Amino acid sequence: MGDRDPLAVEANLGAGVYALRGLTLVRGEGARVWDAEGRTYIDCIGGHGAAILGHAHPAIARALSEQAARLIACPGTFGNDVRAELLEALARVTGFPRFFLCNSGAEAVEAALKFARLVTGRPGFVAAMRGFHGRTLGALSVTWEPKYRRPFEPLLPEVTHVPFNDLAAAEQAISDRTAAVIVEPVQGEGGVRPATPDYLAGLRALCDERGALLIFDEVQTGFGRTGRWFAFHHYGVVPDLLALAKGIAAGVPMGAVAVGPRVGALPAGAHGSTFGGNPLACAASLATLDVLEQAQLPARAARLGAWALETLRKELADAPLVREVRGLGLMIGVELRRRVTPLLRALQEAGVLALPAGPTVLRLLPPLVIEEADWQRAVETVIGQIRQLEGEGGNGRG
Ligand SMILES: *Cc1c(COP(=O)(O)O)cnc(C)c1O
């Protein structure tokens, strides 16, 4: 790199769509990352939740290098040993009978929307306010945030957004033109908001009654993040289509749609992807599932998450800056009464990387392998920095 500043290069040559955080990362190990000056950070961003095994996990590095030396490209029109093994593993952990493999969360959502239209012959979708499903035009159509959507209209027709956790509103919206209802069991980007059990069970019943399909977007909540293998396991409600990505291959680009029995096998040619199910990503995903299982990481996420939720709630109970602490497993949100950006900046200065979830919510998505001491320090730093901001900002209403 010489003396060129990577941030300056990216600011000049990148498309400009990312708000840069003023930090260049060059290396990682577990839940730690290092900048170019050798400074270390506790990583509670974890590649937006994708790096569930942290960074530089030896099992992932080994799976990738061995597969790279064997076979990287193999289209879906051919069989492949690693892909077949992965499909069997996915069937085991999800309980679903069929899968379409792709390369990202948005692609998984796109495929789920297309499959729902194909199977029902209906055009419409019902989605939730504050829902986030990705940035491609179909996924964007069901995403709620108007700031993301408006500049790209017209999007898909016949999409209705209804308030999350409001069953009466969903009942009004689901009609005989609804192909599917799409919802995150725990909204991520929209502020770390868990669905109520009655809501998901009620959506299931309404979809059954009216002939619509139910899509769960578990792109962020899947693969142990919430303390179970999948968030739908907390609720005992099984969707017809399950969109997966982020943690599926521990940070290697991959997505998948689990296809339930009401959808069944799709006709050849109905959909496809050049890179989808490539053996390199499949090998990384297989290794990921193996580590998650062997190390019982979903249970670990449940334990570390419950501790953090309890600690944050107790320590911040009287904090004037804090509106609410929410979460499930290692998906934690702290909603403030003001914008979260100054807190994110202060945390970064203090050596902890955290995410926003909307304008006022702090979100923590650490790797499920984070060392307990690091997790404790991250949570203590969050509490300390909130207290400090309160000290600086008087009553904290900024
Ligand atoms: C991140 C995310 C997506 C989009 O995934 P990409 O891989 O960025 O396309 C979709 N849905 C949810 C719930 C997400 O968290």
Side-chain angles (χ1 to χ4, degrees), residues 176-229:
D176 62 2
R177 294 186 62 80
T178 306
V181 175
I182 180 165
V183 72
E184 298 154 87
V186 182
Q187 291 190 325
E189 179 83 17
V192 188
R193 297 166 201 277
T196 59
D198 287 354
Y199 184 59
L200 295 188
L203 287 182
R204 177 72 277 177
L206 281 171
C207 286
D208 289 346
E209 181 191 305
R210 300 190 184 169
L213 297 177
L214 181 60
I215 304 172
F216 282 174
D217 180 346
E218 290 224 36
V219 167
Q220 189 163 146
T221 53
F223 300 97
R225 168 64 57 194
T226 67
R228 298 276 190 100
W229 269 89

Side-chain angles (χ1 to χ4, degrees), residues 104-107 109 132-134 184 217 219-220 245-246:
S104 70
E107 275 182 63
V109 169
F132 181 84
H133 303 291
E184 298 154 87
D217 180 346
V219 167
Q220 189 163 146
K246 292 201 166 95

